[in-house]
């Protein structure tokens, strides 16, 4: 399975780290069914999520070989679709990347478009982003996937964004804090991310982000049978040597944060 090589690369070819990461990858599938079950991308709820939440890995790689992912949320003009479904979709894209990126990439670069982070949207929708849900998602990503987070770029910022970043920073390791770049304008972003990689909305040449996102939805639909088959592959704690891992072992107390340790 090509995914094993991806895990090895993500763990810097340490066999012990790779074994621990693979263990957690399948453990999370059993522990968090809200993210890892009912992963049919043809469902109506899934389409609603993909229409509002855009988080496509962009085609092509810059010279440094890092994969660039843009994340933005459109104005829902009403009730925000399920945040849990959106997190599920992000992890599904991660699974496709594990399967397809056989040559590997030199790490991930995330661009967060924060234009929707206004006081009115914050007041209306922020309650859906509970600390427990965010913590669970981040632990799944950091502990279960061979993520190499190299850069985080925040664009279209508002005073509300500063508040959010300052809230999150205490839970991040120092090296991750130093990888967060807040840009005053697109010209600043272009100094670090080449235009040919970026979608049209961000002054780039890669086409509209909605079109890139739609292609990813098509790809996910083409993986429908694979996703449904993968739901069967998860840890069976009754067969684990020694003490089985419990929900508390994995996530601690609901609603509390531990320091994030993304490498």
């Amino acid at each position: 399975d090509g995914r094993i090589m991806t895990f090895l690369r993500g763990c810097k070819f340490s066999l012990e780290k790779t074994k621990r990461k693979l263990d957690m990858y399948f453990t999370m599938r059993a522990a968090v069914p809200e993210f890892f079950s009912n992963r049919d991308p043809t469902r109506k709820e899934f389409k609603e999520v993909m229409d509002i939440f855009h988080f496509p890995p962009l085609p092509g790689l810059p010279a440094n070989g890092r994969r660039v992912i843009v994340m933005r949320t459109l104005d829902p003009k009403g009730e925000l679709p399920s945040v849990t479904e959106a997190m599920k979709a992000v992890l599904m894209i991660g699974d496709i990347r594990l399967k397809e990126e056989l040559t590997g990439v030199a790490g991930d670069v995330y661009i967060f478009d924060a234009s929707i982070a206004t006081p009115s949207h914050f007041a209306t929708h922020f309650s859906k982003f509970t600390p427990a849900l965010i913590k669970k998602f981040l632990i799944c990503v950091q502990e279960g996937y061979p993520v190499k987070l190299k850069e985080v770029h925040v664009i279209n910022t508002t005073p509300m964004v500063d508040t959010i970043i300052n809230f999150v920073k205490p839970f991040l390791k120092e090296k991750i804090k130093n990888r967060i770049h807040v840009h005053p304008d697109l010209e600043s972003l272009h100094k670090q991310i080449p235009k040919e990689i970026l979608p049209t909305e961000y002054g780039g040449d890669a086409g509209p982000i909605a079109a890139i996102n739609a292609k990813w939805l098509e790809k996910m639909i083409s993986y429908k049978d694979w996703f449904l088959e993968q739901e069967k592959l998860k840890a069976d704690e009754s067969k684990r040597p020694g003490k089985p891992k419990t929900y508390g072992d994995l996530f601690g107390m609901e609603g509390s944060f531990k320091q994030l340790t993304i490498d």
Side-chain angles (χ1 to χ4, degrees):
D1 193 321
R3 284 178 290 179
I4 294 178
M5 180 56 69
T6 305
F7 273 90
L8 280 166
R9 280 193 298 265
C11 297
K12 300 178 181 178
F13 291 92
S14 164
L15 291 180
E16 285 305 313
K17 287 183 179 179
T18 301
K19 286 191 289 185
R20 288 197 300 269
K21 188 75 74 172
L22 282 167
D23 181 2
M24 290 301 294
Y25 179 73
F26 290 105
T27 297
M28 292 298 178
R29 288 170 169 268
V32 196
E34 57 266 45
F35 292 159
F36 295 102
S37 64
N38 199 19
R39 299 173 108 198
D40 180 350
T42 63
R43 290 180 299 114
K44 175 176 176 288
E45 298 87 350
F46 195 86
K47 176 67 164 55
E48 290 173 349
V49 161
M50 294 295 286
D51 284 343
I52 296 296
F53 295 98
H54 293 172
F55 29 69
L58 302 181
L61 297 173
N64 61 13
R66 295 174 178 175
R67 179 68 66 195
V68 180
I69 301 98
V70 173
M71 307 192 84
R72 74 168 183 176
T73 303
L74 300 181
D75 188 339
K77 306 296 184 183
E79 188 69 17
L80 192 71
S82 168
V83 174
T84 302
E85 282 285 331
M87 292 176 174
K88 178 189 295 187
V90 170
L91 295 173
M92 290 169 69
I93 287 176
D95 284 335
I96 292 176
R97 290 185 59 201
L98 285 178
K99 187 173 175 60
E100 290 193 351
E101 290 184 345
L102 300 181
T103 57
V105 297
D108 284 357
V109 175
Y110 282 87
I111 300 174
F112 289 95
D113 182 342
S115 55
I116 200 172
T118 63
S120 61
H121 283 108
F122 191 87
T124 304
H125 304 300
F126 187 71
S127 62
K128 292 193 174 186
F129 294 86
T130 65
L133 182 63
I134 294 171
K135 176 185 178 183
K136 195 181 301 182
F137 173 73
L138 290 174
I139 290 177
C140 282
V141 171
Q142 69 179 356
E143 302 293 349
Y145 285 78
V147 173
K148 294 186 291 184
L149 180 59
K150 296 298 185 181
E151 304 168 40
V152 176
H153 299 275
V154 185
I155 58 175
N156 295 328
T157 59
T158 67
M160 183 63 68
V161 171
D162 292 336
T163 301
I164 295 171
I165 291 176
N166 289 333
F167 173 76
V168 172
K169 272 189 173 182
F171 307 111
L172 300 176
K173 292 178 72 173
E174 199 62 35
K175 66 178 181 180
I176 300 300
K177 294 178 188 178
N178 295 333
R179 293 173 185 173
I180 299 175
H181 309 277
V182 179
H183 296 277
D185 50 41
L186 290 179
E187 184 178 348
S188 172
L189 177 68
H190 296 160
K191 292 177 182 178
Q192 300 195 48
I193 308 293
K195 288 184 179 181
E196 58 266 25
I197 294 293
L198 293 170
T200 307
E201 292 87 342
Y202 307 110
D205 305 321
I209 187 173
I212 300 171
N213 201 64
K215 287 183 179 179
W216 265 99
L217 177 57
E218 290 176 7
K219 182 188 287 285
M220 295 166 85
I221 291 173
S222 75
Y223 271 88
K224 173 184 175 180
D225 292 341
W226 182 81
F227 278 124
L228 297 178
E229 185 67 25
Q230 289 290 303
E231 289 186 21
K232 304 173 186 175
L233 304 179
K234 54 189 175 184
D236 182 348
E237 291 300 324
S238 68
K239 297 179 180 178
R240 182 183 295 277
K243 180 177 177 289
K245 289 183 179 177
T246 67
Y247 191 91
D249 293 333
L250 296 172
F251 303 111
M253 295 295 292
E254 283 284 349
S256 64
F257 279 101
K258 71 175 183 180
Q259 186 184 46
L260 303 181
T261 55
I262 303 174
D263 291 323

